[in-house]
Amino acid sequence: MDIKYPTTKKVDTVNTYFGEEIKDPYRWLEDDMSDETAQWVEAQNKLTFGYLDQIPYRDELKKRLEKLWNYEKYSAPFKEGDYTYFYKNDGLQNQYVVYRQKADEEPEVFLDPNTFSEDGTTSLSGLSFSKNGKLAAYSISEGGSDWRKVIVMDAISKDIKEDTLIDVKFSGISWKGNEGFYYSSYDKPKGSELSAKTDQHKLYYHKLGTSQKDDELIFGGTDAEKNRYVGGGVTEDERYLIISASTSTSGNKLFIKDLQDKNGTLKTVVDNYDSDSYIIDNIGSKLYIVTNMNAPNQKVVTVDASNPSSENWKDFIPETENVLSPSTGAGYFFAEYMVDAVSKVYQYDMDGKQIREVKLPGVGSAGGFGGKKDAKELYFSFSNYTTPSTIYKFDPKSGDYEVYKKPEITDYDSNDYESKQVFYTSKDGTKVPMIITHKKGLELNGKNPTILYGYGGFNISLTPSFSIANTVWLEQGGVYAVPNLRGGGEYGKAWHDAGTKMKKQNVFDDFIAAAEYLIAEKYTSSDYLAIRGGSNGGLLVGATMTQRPDLMKVALPAVGVLDMLRYHTFTAGAGWAYDYGTAEQNKEMFEYLKGYSPVHNVKEGVEYPATLITTGDHDDRVVPAHSFKFAAELQDKQTGNNPTLIRIETNAGHGAGTPVAKTIEQYADIFGFTLHNMGVKELKAGFKD
């Protein structure tokens, strides 16, 4: 297809770091409030959608996605007051609906977010009930923004109780009795609320019946110490307020206040940012704390609230060689361990005695087991790359469980597919696990369309999970491969730290080695390989394609962090410095970031892979300017005929709450673009209805 890129003007903006001048010709694209940027977005979308419209099987992919997507999906139920609540999607509803029911009565709609906006872009982002279940506060996101509004309602009559709270961000809602709740937010920034810096988080208490402007500031807001992330919550027995404060996405201070003591003050549990710790439960004054302090794979400790500092901690569930992620419910602890990114679960009583291993339904990811202390049954979910997420009802006394909700997907049989875990060697000799999924009977001939998906950052673990969208890819004889790169949390804090700051290149090396393994083992070849990732994974794709443009045919960076010299100047970006470091930190860190920053490493005269950059115009987590500038650089310098396009979703953010209809369109475009650029002329037989 003949592509004529829109002209993107260049300006003379220069940034100076340690005496070195760095040109920033597309700085003007950072202004999300300008007409000029809006016109650029419109021109780019016109080009991109004009290109996508010409892919002959794009609509076919969309119809197939709609058909497979159209099945009932449920959440686990939870009890509040006299009602049991659950989330349900009939199939193609843009947003999940909240239902409730009393025992032996028919379910009724409690909240339907599909009615919040005509186009489905306003989503429900949080729901919290008062102690007696008679009041509820829920938060909404408009257009995918991280800024929220909070609405309080009478949970019985469903009547709205008072004025909406506005400008709430990165916040839970934690009730104190039935009188009010705690929430967190930033002062609204001057200028653009979607891109201006926010780095002073505060915890407030809202008393029902009062104006938001009179809400009590509980923590934060002092110039002495800025915390970018502050959270507060009340224990289930409502005795304690727990506050966590962080300057970055790793490490937190921890405080506790006895709410029964009218003259009580905040007590410090952890007074530094060197580790991650949170209070998971309490029995009276006995606190249970999850921590990686002197325990990189996490452990649970106990301490008395009267003297809670770390020198008084006692091991409750000690650290093991596997990473621990615990939950509590029905008066028990459930210790979920990741063993090479796959779940194992053990049940403990509140004295630390192991009751049993919960034998899971298969090899994959388990989640849940959480609930209130008086719960009689608990629920957990289980899935992997070939098994749709199934919810099980669990008896904590006997350890028995049964299927509660199992998806019924038309035209899908998990027995047609297989997943296997392999271990490959990265550049420095590190062994890295990867799970490869495809149709049974796949011929290893180097010609299978393959998506290599990665993340590698922020202690986030990629464990096996089912995606109905990926099923459409697998149906086409595609391969889907997910390596567990350094920077993630699969092997604890040491694995995370091995992919941060001056070691960030390890992550890209791990990803490159995964691609080379797939090619060497004849799963695919460079002509049939696509790399994909979002957010920090978008950085991964951007860095990999600029370092090794020969390695893949298609690159799919989504909502990526792509300008590593300026990422910390937008919204909450400064909080990511634990993983990345910043260009102002020191000359060595600046040089290192400049060395891999995708925006700064697009070279003249290089043939880059066919690239479809995706972002949202309301993304205030990773602002779209990252993607805009990267697209402009690639379009200016690309050699050869591979297309470099950017698809900008309007009225959409970083991904959470995206309407199903938009998500399906995005996948049809991404898969269509990928297959088309791999030379696929038509979809496989048997695919059509």
Side-chain angles (χ1 to χ4, degrees), residues 150-183:
V150 176
I151 297 156
V152 182
M153 66 192 296
D154 181 316
I156 310 305
S157 67
K158 297 188 270 189
D159 293 335
I160 303 300
K161 289 281 290 181
E162 56 176 37
D163 290 343
T164 297
L165 275 63
I166 60 170
D167 299 341
V168 175
K169 189 173 184 182
F170 295 157
S171 177
I173 301 168
S174 184
W175 286 83
K176 178 184 174 186
N178 307 303
E179 299 87 41
F181 52 84
Y182 297 93
Y183 70 94

Side-chain angles (χ1 to χ4, degrees), residues 2 21 46 61 72 161 177 213 240 248 282 291 296 417 539 543 548 641 643 663 683:
D2 189 35
E21 292 189 344
K46 185 178 177 185
L61 284 166
E72 286 186 337
K161 289 281 290 181
K213 67 179 172 52
Y240 296 104
S248 76
N282 70 298
T291 185
Y417 303 92
L539 163 61
R548 287 291 306 277
N641 298 319
T663 302
L683 300 180

Side-chain angles (χ1 to χ4, degrees), residues 12 22 25-26 60 86 180 211 226 262 334 427 431 439 445 452 459 468 473 484 515 584 589 606 615 670 672:
D12 294 329
I22 302 291
Y26 305 114
E60 213 176 313
F86 62 92
S211 171
K226 287 186 177 183
K262 284 194 168 56
F334 294 88
K427 184 177 180 179
K431 292 281 186 209
K439 256 187 168 176
N445 58 9
L452 177 64
N459 201 39
I468 196 66
W473 181 258
N484 297 110
E584 279 96 4
M589 195 72 247
V606 175
T615 188
I670 289 165

Side-chain angles (χ1 to χ4, degrees), residues 190-201:
K190 294 179 175 69
S192 169
E193 68 176 58
L194 293 177
S195 60
K197 194 170 183 176
T198 49
D199 68 350
Q200 178 75 297
H201 216 199

Side-chain angles (χ1 to χ4, degrees), residues 392-449:
Y392 293 87
K393 185 175 175 179
F394 177 83
D395 182 341
K397 290 271 190 286
S398 68
D400 296 333
Y401 60 82
E402 61 188 33
V403 171
Y404 173 73
K405 292 288 182 188
K406 183 177 182 179
E408 300 294 333
I409 305 177
T410 307
D411 233 10
Y412 175 76
D413 185 349
S414 60
N415 294 315
D416 292 343
Y417 303 92
E418 62 181 322
S419 277
K420 78 168 185 177
Q421 188 173 55
V422 300
F423 290 82
Y424 65 90
T425 305
S426 191
K427 184 177 180 179
D428 64 357
T430 300
K431 292 281 186 209
V432 181
M434 173 164 61
I435 294 180
I436 306 169
T437 306
H438 52 75
K439 256 187 168 176
K440 287 179 179 173
L442 183 85
E443 188 183 345
L444 299 183
N445 58 9
K447 294 183 178 178
N448 302 303

